């Protein structure tokens, strides 16, 4: 390469081996070059054409290319059309602006999800209304199967969890109440806590972890294999075939699981009270019947169907959002569990405030 005034003359052969040496060599200052003359080039391959275009880019948009043969001009133009675009300069923004934008995008995404889930809930309720008018359309075998999966199979873990919660409440309550000589009030602590709040809430959380993820994974797998599209092609409604049996199974079985959790929790609390405080089962039963109002149990039972609807709708909705890849299936399955547990806790807080206002 020789620089003659405002013209840069390139001669010899521009092949991949020579281009490597020329690219690492000292390249003259291209700021004043207005013309690149390649008349003396004997051979140009793809790498050579790229090198010529790189020289032209360094010289600026005003630099022209002269002396190329028709074959060389065609090769250079082909390489020019396939050159990667220049990297766009990223405007640096203030960290507060990035945080505000991220918060806005996240809030908008949550709002869209809330609207979509509300519409999905409306579809399920409309389908349930049709089934009330036409009971023969209910898939009874599917309903019984899901009742077994979400209810019967969950009994051991729910009962064990509630039993241990009762033990912990009795042990911790005894340690505190013993200081004031009020050990007998540990029965009230156990009964009210388990019957009113902890029994049904922890049951719903466990069922959300088991069933919401199972619903999302099963429906999401069908979505990936396009089985849901095949159902629609055959004239079958995925809501009535896949969603309604699962939601109904939860509505029917979660109160039963809540009752078993209450029973196991009271047994655990009574056993620990007997061991730690010497409160006999007869005294525990007498104090339980006199101190725990029936409304404490009724409040827990009232919450159960609402928690069931939340868990079922969340799991099925996230399954319907799965796209055609395994990564989407994993994300939606995880999201179903997190969202279901979050909504259950929010609903429990709303119920607590509501019943407190009513004075129940």
């Amino acid at each position: 390469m020789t620089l003659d005034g405002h013209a840069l003359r390139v001669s010899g052969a521009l092949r991949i081996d020579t281009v490597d040496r020329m690219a690492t060599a000292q390249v003259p200052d291209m700021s004043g070059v207005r013309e690149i003359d390649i008349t003396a080039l004997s051979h140009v391959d793809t790498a050579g054409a790229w090198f010529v275009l790189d020289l032209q880019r360094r010289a600026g948009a005003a630099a022209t290319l002269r002396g190329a043969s028709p074959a060389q001009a065609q090769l250079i133009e082909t390489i020019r059309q396939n050159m990667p675009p220049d990297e766009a300069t990223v405007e640096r923004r203030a960290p507060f602006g990035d945080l505000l934008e991220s918060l806005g995008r996240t809030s908008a995404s949550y709002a869209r999800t809330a609207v979509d889930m509300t519409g999905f809930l409306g579809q399920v309720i409309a389908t349930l209304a049709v089934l009330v008018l036409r009971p023969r359309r209910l898939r009874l075998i599917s309903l019984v199967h899901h009742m077994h999966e979400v209810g019967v199979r969950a009994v051991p873990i729910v009962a064990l969890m509630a039993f241990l919660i009762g033990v912990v409440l009795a042990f911790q309550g005894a340690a505190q109440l013993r200081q004031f000589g009020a050990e007998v009030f540990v029965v009230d602590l156990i009964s009210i806590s388990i019957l009113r709040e902890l029994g049904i809430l922890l049951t719903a959380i466990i069922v959300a972890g088991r069933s919401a993820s199972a619903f999302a994974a099963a429906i999401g797998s069908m979505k990936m294999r396009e089985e849901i599209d095949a159902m629609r092609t055959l004239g079958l409604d995925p809501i009535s075939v896949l969603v309604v049996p699962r939601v109904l199974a939860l509505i029917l079985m979660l109160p039963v699981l809540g009752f078993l959790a209450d029973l196991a929790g009271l047994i655990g609390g009574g056993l620990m009270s007997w061991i730690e405080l010497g409160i006999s089962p007869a005294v525990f039963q007498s104090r339980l019947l006199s101190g725990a109002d029936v409304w404490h149990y009724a409040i827990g039972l009232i919450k159960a169907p609402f928690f069931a609807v939340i868990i079922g709708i969340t799991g099925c909705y996230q399954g319907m959002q799965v796209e055609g890849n395994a990564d989407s299936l994993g994300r939606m399955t995880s999201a179903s569990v997190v969202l279901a547990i979050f909504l259950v806790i929010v609903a429990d807080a709303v119920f607590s405030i509501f019943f407190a206002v009513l004075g129940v």
Side-chain angles (χ1 to χ4, degrees):
M1 289 184 295
T2 58
L3 185 60
D4 184 8
H6 295 290
L8 178 67
R9 305 186 188 280
V10 184
S11 59
L14 282 181
R15 296 188 300 269
I16 187 170
D17 53 343
T18 58
V19 164
D20 183 61
R21 292 195 300 269
M22 296 179 69
T24 56
Q26 183 67 28
V27 178
D29 184 16
M30 304 292 293
S31 58
V33 175
R34 297 292 179 266
E35 180 183 280
I36 299 176
D37 186 2
I38 59 173
T39 306
L41 281 179
S42 59
H43 180 78
V44 179
D45 62 5
T46 303
W50 171 85
F51 183 70
V52 171
L53 290 174
D54 185 64
L55 292 176
Q56 189 179 20
R57 180 186 61 80
R58 296 185 189 184
T64 58
L65 194 61
R66 187 176 68 86
S69 64
Q72 293 174 347
Q74 183 178 4
L75 177 61
I76 292 174
E77 184 60 30
T78 301
I79 299 301
R80 187 195 305 276
Q81 293 176 1
N82 291 275
M83 289 286 283
D86 295 336
E87 293 184 1
T89 57
V90 179
E91 181 182 357
R92 294 186 61 84
R93 292 172 292 182
F96 179 75
D98 293 341
L99 179 62
L100 192 62
E101 179 186 2
S102 176
L103 179 62
R105 291 182 183 274
T106 304
S107 301
S109 175
Y110 287 160
R112 285 193 298 268
T113 301
V115 172
D116 293 343
M117 287 188 65
T118 304
F120 188 76
L121 174 62
Q123 288 181 310
V124 175
I125 293 175
T127 306
L128 284 172
V130 172
L131 290 178
V132 171
L133 299 176
R134 301 176 181 176
R136 291 185 177 181
R137 298 184 61 178
L138 176 63
R139 297 178 176 269
L140 190 58
I141 296 177
S142 178
L143 175 62
V144 173
H145 168 73
H146 290 300
M147 288 175 64
H148 180 266
E149 290 295 321
V150 305
V152 177
R153 288 183 177 272
V155 168
I157 183 63
V158 168
L160 178 60
M161 175 274 306
F163 179 84
L164 294 177
I165 289 297
V167 169
V168 171
L169 280 176
F171 185 79
Q172 295 296 330
Q176 300 301 320
L177 294 175
R178 185 182 288 113
Q179 305 175 39
F180 309 99
E183 294 93 335
V184 71
F185 288 104
V186 76
V187 181
D188 302 75
L189 171 66
I190 295 170
S191 60
I192 294 175
S193 299
I194 291 179
L195 294 178
R196 191 181 183 100
E197 290 291 339
L198 294 181
I200 189 62
L201 177 60
L202 295 178
T203 300
I205 290 175
I206 289 180
V207 172
R210 290 185 75 257
S211 301
S213 59
F215 291 173
I219 296 177
S221 298
M222 298 180 69
K223 187 81 179 295
M224 287 177 56
R225 295 192 296 264
E226 300 181 354
E227 294 179 24
I228 295 179
D229 295 334
M231 284 184 182
R232 293 192 177 99
T233 303
L234 294 173
L236 299 175
D237 182 17
I239 300 296
S240 61
V241 175
L242 300 177
V243 179
V244 168
R246 288 174 165 85
V247 175
L248 274 179
L250 279 173
I251 293 175
L252 295 174
M253 294 306 298
L254 194 59
V256 177
L257 291 175
F259 169 75
L260 295 176
D262 292 343
L263 188 61
L266 293 176
I267 292 174
L271 182 62
M272 181 54 65
S273 299
W274 191 12
I275 296 173
E276 184 71 14
L277 299 174
I279 299 176
S280 66
V283 175
F284 186 92
Q285 180 184 2
S286 176
R287 185 68 187 179
L288 174 65
L289 295 176
S290 62
D293 190 86
V294 68
W295 269 106
H296 294 315
Y297 171 71
I299 286 173
L301 198 63
I302 290 171
K303 297 176 184 179
F306 294 93
F307 291 169
V309 171
I310 290 173
I311 296 169
I313 293 297
T314 303
C316 295
Y317 170 79
Q318 295 294 342
M320 288 291 188
Q321 304 307 307
V322 172
E323 300 171 356
N325 55 76
D327 178 68
S328 175
L329 178 61
R331 286 188 292 105
M332 293 305 171
T333 302
S334 300
S336 66
V337 177
V338 175
L339 186 58
I341 293 176
F342 172 76
L343 293 178
V344 163
I345 295 175
V346 170
D348 184 71
V350 172
F351 273 114
S352 297
I353 296 173
F354 175 74
F355 287 123
V357 171
L358 292 181
V360 178

